[in-house]
Amino acid sequence: MPHSPNLQPRLARILIVDDHPLVLAGLVTMVELTGHQITTAESGLEAVRQLNDSPFDLVLLDLLLPDISGLEVMDYLQQQHIDTTVVVISGLSDIDHAIGALQRGAFDFLRKSFPAAELLKTIDHALQRRWLVQDNQRLSAQLLTSEKVHNYLIENSPDIIYTLNEQGLFTDVNPRVLPLLGWTAQELIGQHYSVLIHPDDLSRADYVLNHCEHNFQITRLVELHMRARQPDGGVRLFSHELMRVAQPGVCADALLTQPRWRTYGIAHDLTERKRVDALISYQTTHDLLTGLPNRALFKDRLNLTLQRAQRHGQVAAVLVLDIDRFKLINDALGHDLGDALLVQIAQRLKGCLRASDTLSRLGADEFTILLTDLGAPEEAAQLAEKCQASLRQPFTLQSQVAHVSVSMGLALYPTHGNETELLIQRANAAMTHKKTHGKDGYVVFEAAMLPLDQQLMTLEHELHEALRQGELEMFYQPQVDAASQRIVGAEALMRWNHPQRGLLSPAAFLPLAEETGLIIPMTDWLLQAVATDLCAFNHVSEVPLRMSINLPPQYLDRSNFTHNLHAALLSHGLLAAQFEVEVTENICIRNPLNAIEQLNALRHTGVRVAIDDFGTGYSSLSYLQQLPLDTLKIDRSFVMTIPLSGELPPVVLAIISVAKGLNLHLVAEGVETSTQLHALAQAGCHTIQGFYFFKPMSCQALLAQLGSGKE
């Protein structure tokens, strides 16, 4: 009797095999959406055990496993005649593995990073095919006992059903072949199957039909293009479900010696479905008005371009174009002519591009261009000018003439970014800048074109990358003894060697680092970098240098900062007395009791403590007396007030008096003139830091200075 589909959906048992726990968990999460019963295995041998213990309808199989490969698992399935459907999911993308899997009967081969929808669709198709095959197998068994049912199904099937003998000749074909391919069943009987197979698919058909002599009653699935009878012509795509069965009357013993078989096939017409799938695929990746790639396809191509450019060191560019005053044109001419104008603009832009470039419409009156394989950045600017010149020519729309101009923004890889979204965003920011500053032309992206919030987000991302890529550097400003004018110490100052903006001072990035919490890992890095450099300084300096480092309040708030600093000293074999930690007086306002406790713990290790920028905040002398201090630094803002006469201002005298009263070492910052130097030295400040002696310098420069013996 004919098969009727179940009213309730079938539930399958699915085995997922992958040795990567995260990938396995991700696959389970996706497949759970189907409602089927799921079992997992993390190795090939575990998968074999599971398959031996219980039947599974479907196996999602990784090829690269820790013990035996996925291909060996498939070999075992064939050797043991274990009936299951296999879908290979692998990170291996070479064609040999794909062919190996398909030759072993895999239903499909999916490369990892596929969308969840594609996996679910493949699972659905695999199970539907499996159940269809099982239904067909059950029907085949019924046909052996019911010729009437057999004939009914054959005659009324919507698919072409046929049998081939050992020589590949048709022995039976149902009437469905006539409306689909234009042949009568009688005309095909006795002819070789190649008469219907398109030449491009003939070798694949030969392989499937002639290289599985021992796979009796195992269904094979293959898609083949079949030719309609001349003169009608035409080619249609069919999915063939093939099963080898023993010839009637041949006993099992005979099969072991001289197997005689026939092929039972069902050919399902996929032509219309493939056409619809192709149409849907086109519509999801193209703009329907202009036929150009849409945003999704553009981003996909840009991503591939950036990967290739990174491998080969090439230059690429993204150009965003927006039609100036398009709304006015659209309102004046009507939407139909506005659409016609967009089509003509797309055609002109395509005429300006090379075959390797991609023009896309993102929506409304905005277009993007992907420029690949550029010899130099200047080529992108030249193409922008070419597009601009082409679009300046008048457009004829029926009886109307329209003139347009465009605002364009250009972003270059790798100068302005190395990620897909980042390049598009920056090209768009440049276009917006041009649109608000005169229109009709192009500009190349600059960081100042981003909105403030985007600038901060971009800076934060770049700062993360700077820490990861090793773009941070240490500079050192020497501290000089006023009497001997020899270098006795240095203040460590962080710099950012930005790949596009060059060397950035702390003011350009430290406030954001403090706001986002990045200051913590940056300070961890600073401790190790300064300790490493101080080891090098000790090898060339006549006396051990005292190294001052600025400690942000957020770092002091951490309970383990003393441990981190002490560990850095021990790992580099440095004396704790060579390190001086600088904190601002405002640290007492944030959390005075915690500050006193932490600084006492620091002093206990032998590290010195200095108050930086004293007098510039809300000074509290009561807390100052409680802090375990060694040094007081006079801020440069007070040093700059020293007049040419050399008479010290009262505030400076007061700070010096406080330092002497508390028996603290004094350091003056920002000394730039001999007058300032002599006035401070005579007042009792003997350690000088400022441009009068040295500007901040790199580690190598300070090493050279120390080694010259001319400090």
Side-chain angles (χ1 to χ4, degrees):
M1 57 186 298
H3 168 69
S4 298
N6 294 328
L7 295 178
Q8 297 297 328
R10 297 187 186 182
L11 294 181
R13 297 191 73 242
I14 299 178
L15 175 63
I16 304 178
V17 187
D18 200 297
D19 64 323
H20 195 293
L22 292 178
V23 175
L24 187 60
L27 289 172
V28 170
T29 300
M30 286 189 282
V31 178
E32 281 178 341
L33 299 174
T34 63
H36 298 304
Q37 182 181 347
I38 300 171
T39 304
T40 62
E42 296 185 358
S43 68
L45 292 177
E46 185 182 357
V48 168
R49 181 185 61 77
Q50 298 266 24
L51 289 163
N52 277 327
D53 290 346
S54 58
F56 288 90
D57 297 291
L58 178 65
V59 180
L60 302 183
L61 180 63
D62 187 13
L63 291 186
L64 194 57
L65 298 171
D67 42 19
I68 62 173
S69 70
L71 295 180
E72 290 175 303
V73 173
M74 295 178 70
D75 289 336
Y76 180 85
L77 292 177
Q78 290 190 351
Q79 293 165 7
Q80 300 300 316
H81 302 290
I82 296 176
D83 182 18
T84 187
T85 300
V86 177
V87 172
V88 172
I89 298 177
S90 177
L92 302 171
S93 59
D94 60 282
I95 189 64
D96 290 335
H97 284 91
I99 291 175
L102 295 175
Q103 286 178 346
R104 288 166 171 80
F107 173 82
D108 205 346
F109 185 100
L110 299 181
R111 287 183 294 179
K112 288 183 178 177
S113 76
F114 50 80
E118 183 181 353
L119 175 62
L120 297 180
K121 182 178 179 181
T122 301
I123 291 174
D124 182 63
H125 285 176
L127 291 175
Q128 291 298 331
R129 291 293 178 81
R130 176 174 179 80
W131 290 329
L132 179 60
V133 169
Q134 290 175 346
D135 290 344
N136 287 334
Q137 289 174 342
R138 284 192 292 269
L139 291 175
S140 297
Q142 294 174 6
L143 289 175
L144 294 175
T145 60
S146 177
E147 187 67 25
K148 182 178 179 180
V149 173
H150 170 77
N151 291 335
Y152 176 84
L153 292 175
I154 294 295
E155 296 295 326
N156 294 279
S157 172
D159 300 326
I160 298 175
I161 300 176
Y162 59 90
T163 57
L164 303 173
N165 64 14
E166 288 180 295
Q167 289 74 41
L169 305 180
F170 286 104
T171 57
D172 197 9
V173 186
N174 72 339
R176 185 62 177 163
V177 71
L178 179 60
L180 290 179
L181 296 176
W183 294 80
T184 66
Q186 291 74 20
E187 290 172 322
L188 288 177
I189 300 300
Q191 295 209 54
H192 194 265
Y193 62 80
S194 59
V195 72
L196 293 182
I197 305 301
H198 190 275
D200 292 344
D201 289 352
L202 191 55
S203 60
R204 183 150 47 123
D206 289 342
Y207 177 84
V208 173
L209 290 166
N210 298 319
H211 290 76
C212 52
E213 288 83 353
H214 304 295
N215 293 334
F216 288 92
Q217 296 183 349
I218 293 180
T219 301
R220 302 180 69 85
L221 304 173
V222 63
E223 291 186 2
L224 298 170
H225 289 85
M226 301 181 72
R227 299 182 296 182
R229 184 176 185 176
Q230 299 297 338
D232 298 333
V235 177
R236 302 184 72 85
L237 178 64
F238 287 81
S239 172
H240 292 256
E241 299 169 11
L242 304 171
M243 184 176 67
R244 291 195 168 179
V245 295
Q247 291 277 25
V250 180
C251 66
D253 292 339
L255 292 176
L256 298 176
T257 56
Q258 293 183 336
R260 295 178 58 80
W261 48 265
R262 65 177 178 178
T263 300
Y264 177 76
I266 302 175
H268 179 67
D269 189 6
L270 300 178
T271 307
E272 186 61 23
R273 196 198 79 184
K274 289 289 186 179
R275 187 191 69 79
V276 172
D277 287 349
L279 178 60
I280 293 173
S281 176
Y282 179 86
Q283 291 177 341
T284 56
T285 56
H286 289 76
D287 171 52
L288 298 184
L289 175 64
T290 61
L292 297 176
N294 62 12
R295 180 185 294 272
L297 183 55
F298 179 83
K299 289 170 64 175
D300 184 61
R301 292 185 181 179
L302 175 56
N303 185 51
L304 293 175
T305 296
L306 296 186
Q307 292 178 17
R308 185 172 65 251
Q310 185 178 26
R311 286 196 301 269
H312 302 292
Q314 297 171 333
V315 177
V318 172
L319 187 64
V320 174
L321 304 86
D322 190 86
I323 311 301
D324 298 330
R325 302 179 303 111
F326 180 75
K327 185 178 185 303
L328 176 63
I329 297 173
N330 213 25
D331 292 343
L333 300 181
H335 291 286
D336 290 342
L337 290 184
D339 288 347
L341 175 60
L342 291 174
V343 172
Q344 289 192 33
I345 289 173
Q347 292 171 345
R348 288 197 189 179
L349 290 174
K350 283 195 292 187
C352 298
L353 304 183
R354 305 163 301 172
S356 59
D357 300 328
T358 296
L359 172 65
S360 167
R361 183 187 177 209
L362 297 190
D365 57 336
E366 188 172 323
F367 295 83
T368 55
I369 299 175
L370 169 60
L371 307 176
T372 63
D373 303 329
L374 296 175
E378 293 77 15
E379 293 182 15
Q382 294 170 3
L383 189 135
E385 293 172 353
K386 183 179 179 181
C387 292
Q388 185 178 15
S390 175
L391 296 181
R392 280 176 175 167
Q393 300 302 315
F395 291 85
T396 302
L397 304 168
Q398 295 181 1
S399 60
Q400 300 287 336
V401 176
H403 295 267
V404 302
S405 63
V406 291
S407 298
M408 295 181 282
L410 182 62
L412 298 166
Y413 169 88
T415 305
H416 300 134
N418 56 5
E419 297 177 1
T420 299
E421 286 292 349
L422 191 60
L423 278 175
I424 295 175
Q425 179 193 79
R426 293 186 169 181
N428 191 71
M431 181 275 294
T432 302
H433 177 84
K434 182 60 182 175
K435 206 167 185 67
T436 56
H437 292 79
K439 301 182 175 64
D440 191 20
Y442 77 93
V443 293
V444 180
F445 170 79
E446 295 178 2
M449 296 176 182
L450 290 172
L452 181 59
D453 55 348
Q454 289 189 20
Q455 291 184 42
L456 291 176
M457 289 185 64
T458 299
L459 185 63
E460 181 181 355
H461 170 72
E462 292 176 343
L463 199 51
H464 276 278
E465 288 296 301
L467 193 59
R468 189 172 65 87
Q469 299 288 351
E471 296 172 4
L472 299 178
E473 297 182 11
M474 292 309 305
F475 273 56
Y476 300 92
Q477 187 167 28
Q479 296 173 344
V480 179
D481 179 74
S484 65
Q485 296 196 359
R486 300 182 69 84
I487 296 176
V488 294
E491 181 179 358
L493 304 167
M494 188 182 295
R495 297 289 187 268
W496 179 4
N497 191 5
H498 194 282
Q500 282 84 45
R501 299 165 60 188
L503 203 63
L504 301 183
S505 68
F509 60 91
L510 282 187
L512 181 63
E514 293 178 356
E515 180 182 345
T516 59
L518 273 173
I519 194 67
I520 301 301
M522 290 172 63
T523 306
D524 285 336
W525 173 86
L526 178 144
L527 292 179
Q528 294 296 327
V530 171
T532 300
D533 291 345
L534 186 55
C535 287
F537 298 150
N538 286 342
H539 280 90
V540 297
S541 178
E542 295 181 0
V543 295
L545 292 185
R546 182 176 60 253
M547 182 62 64
S548 298
I549 59 173
N550 292 282
L551 195 67
Q554 296 92 328
Y555 203 75
L556 184 62
D557 290 341
R558 299 177 71 196
S559 60
N560 64 340
F561 93 94
T562 301
H563 170 77
N564 289 350
L565 179 56
H566 189 57
L569 295 173
L570 290 178
S571 65
H572 291 81
L574 295 170
L575 297 175
Q578 282 193 266
F579 258 80
E580 185 170 76
V581 169
E582 295 185 8
V583 295
T584 63
E585 63 188 53
N586 290 337
I587 199 171
C588 298
I589 299 174
R590 287 170 54 92
N591 192 344
L593 296 180
N594 180 66
I596 293 171
E597 180 182 350
Q598 295 283 53
L599 293 179
N600 273 319
L602 190 63
R603 276 287 300 277
H604 185 71
T605 67
V607 174
R608 297 167 59 87
V609 178
I611 283 287
D612 192 18
D613 302 336
F614 181 73
T616 61
Y618 300 96
S619 303
S620 173
L621 295 180
S622 62
Y623 281 126
L624 191 64
Q625 293 183 76
Q626 299 178 48
L627 291 173
L629 299 179
D630 298 282
T631 300
L632 196 64
K633 298 191 75 173
I634 304 175
D635 188 72
R636 68 183 309 274
S637 62
F638 298 127
V639 173
M640 296 299 293
T641 63
I642 299 175
L644 295 177
S645 64
E647 182 179 353
L648 292 179
V651 172
V652 176
L653 290 172
I655 294 173
I656 294 175
S657 297
V658 169
K660 289 181 177 179
L662 297 176
N663 195 29
L664 300 178
H665 175 238
L666 267 172
V667 177
E669 294 182 306
V671 177
E672 298 183 2
T673 68
S674 59
T675 299
Q676 296 167 349
L677 169 65
H678 295 310
L680 290 165
Q682 289 177 0
C685 180
H686 301 297
T687 303
I688 305 300
Q689 178 179 333
F691 287 6
Y692 181 78
F693 287 111
F694 298 104
K695 294 182 178 180
M697 62 184 69
S698 67
C699 173
Q700 293 301 320
L702 182 53
L703 280 172
Q705 188 68 38
L706 293 171
S708 68
K710 299 177 182 180
E711 315 93 272

